[in-house]
Amino acid sequence: MRQRRALVTGGSGDIGAAIARELAARGCALLVHAHSAPERAQAVVEAIHAAGGQARAVCFDLADGAATRAALEAELADGAIDILVHNAGIHDDAPLAGMQEAQWRRVIDVSLHGFFHVSQPLLLTMARQRWGRVVALSSVAAVLGNRGQANYAAAKAGLHGAVRCLAREMASRGISANVVAPGVIAGRMSQDLFDEAQLKAMVPAARMGRPDEVAALVAFLCSDAAAYINGQVIGINGGMG
């Protein structure tokens, strides 16, 4: 059986890196994507190599449709990309009343337009082989809302609708598409945001989640065993909602 290839966008971040490592540990050959931090993506690749896995770093701007398509066409020349995990996303928080248009557009460009740019070129190849997995990373903010994150929540909530449509369109071709919506996950972006009392008030589990917990869920959704899970938004948030 051919080794499956997986692309993880935003693979240089804490969650993306954990997902890339987990998929590599399960036998996939990884493409670890980054845009602004290629050196961190390369560090993830080196960690995968050290553990005996296969990986390469790729760098392109998901907000640029032409650049993304060109990068993917070059990769597809070497064979199908069987698994796409769209984890890339950015924050640029402000109350909506004071938010600049550039803040709104950039956040949506990366998470939502980026999903189209990176997924659309891969789908026909997945369909021809009658197997594929698409997982988009969302956020509890898209489900519950969060002050100062209208742009982020809108971008991530848009993924819910896009993925549900994609699941209906492609399920008969052996392709599943699902959303994973994490809550508060430990890492660089969250380490200084909440004290212990705030966490206990927000999260019934009274702790942050770990990137490896998110990665385990994503890797399961990318497996053969999860073939009948399709079009779902699955929270991993310690009971937040």
Side-chain angles (χ1 to χ4, degrees):
M1 180 178 175
R2 181 180 65 84
Q3 184 181 32
R4 285 174 177 157
R5 299 173 75 206
L7 168 62
V8 179
T9 70
S12 61
D14 294 301
I15 293 175
I19 292 168
R21 290 193 301 267
E22 182 65 25
L23 288 173
R26 297 187 184 210
C28 294
L30 264 293
L31 297 171
V32 182
H33 163 267
H35 175 222
S36 61
E39 69 286 350
R40 290 214 301 264
Q42 186 58 39
V44 176
V45 166
E46 290 168 4
I48 290 171
H49 289 170
Q54 295 187 35
R56 286 194 296 108
V58 293
C59 188
F60 51 87
D61 182 1
L62 286 167
D64 184 332
T68 300
R69 180 172 291 276
L72 293 177
E73 287 176 351
E75 294 298 338
L76 289 171
D78 294 331
I81 295 172
D82 309 278
I83 295 167
L84 168 64
V85 180
H86 180 53
N87 169 71
I90 60 171
H91 289 272
D92 196 350
D93 297 351
L96 190 61
M99 185 176 289
Q100 301 299 310
E101 183 176 354
Q103 291 176 282
W104 177 269
R105 288 186 177 276
R106 180 60 180 164
V107 170
I108 290 178
D109 275 348
V110 174
S111 286
L112 188 54
H113 295 160
F115 173 74
F116 173 78
H117 293 158
V118 78
S119 63
Q120 196 274 341
L122 304 182
L123 293 172
L124 289 182
T125 303
M126 289 183 184
R128 282 195 291 269
Q129 67 183 13
R130 303 191 74 83
W131 197 96
R133 297 287 183 267
V134 177
V135 179
L137 272 291
S138 176
S139 168
V140 70
V143 179
L144 302 180
N146 196 26
R147 292 176 179 173
Q149 290 191 326
N151 50 358
Y152 185 73
K156 295 299 191 181
L159 291 174
H160 300 186
V163 166
R164 284 178 167 134
C165 292
L166 180 59
R168 288 181 173 270
E169 292 168 357
M170 304 300 279
S172 66
R173 298 287 183 173
I175 297 168
S176 70
N178 292 287
V179 173
V180 169
V184 183
I185 306 298
R188 285 186 297 268
M189 293 178 68
S190 60
Q191 62 186 358
D192 298 321
L193 292 180
F194 309 106
D195 60 29
E196 187 173 347
Q198 288 174 310
L199 271 177
K200 287 183 177 179
M202 290 170 55
V203 184
R207 68 170 177 89
M208 292 186 181
R210 301 190 311 272
D212 65 281
E213 292 174 311
V214 180
L217 172 57
V218 172
F220 173 69
L221 291 173
C222 294
S223 71
D224 289 314
Y228 206 57
I229 302 172
N230 212 348
Q232 303 305 302
V233 177
I234 303 170
I236 177 165
N237 55 44
M240 290 178 70

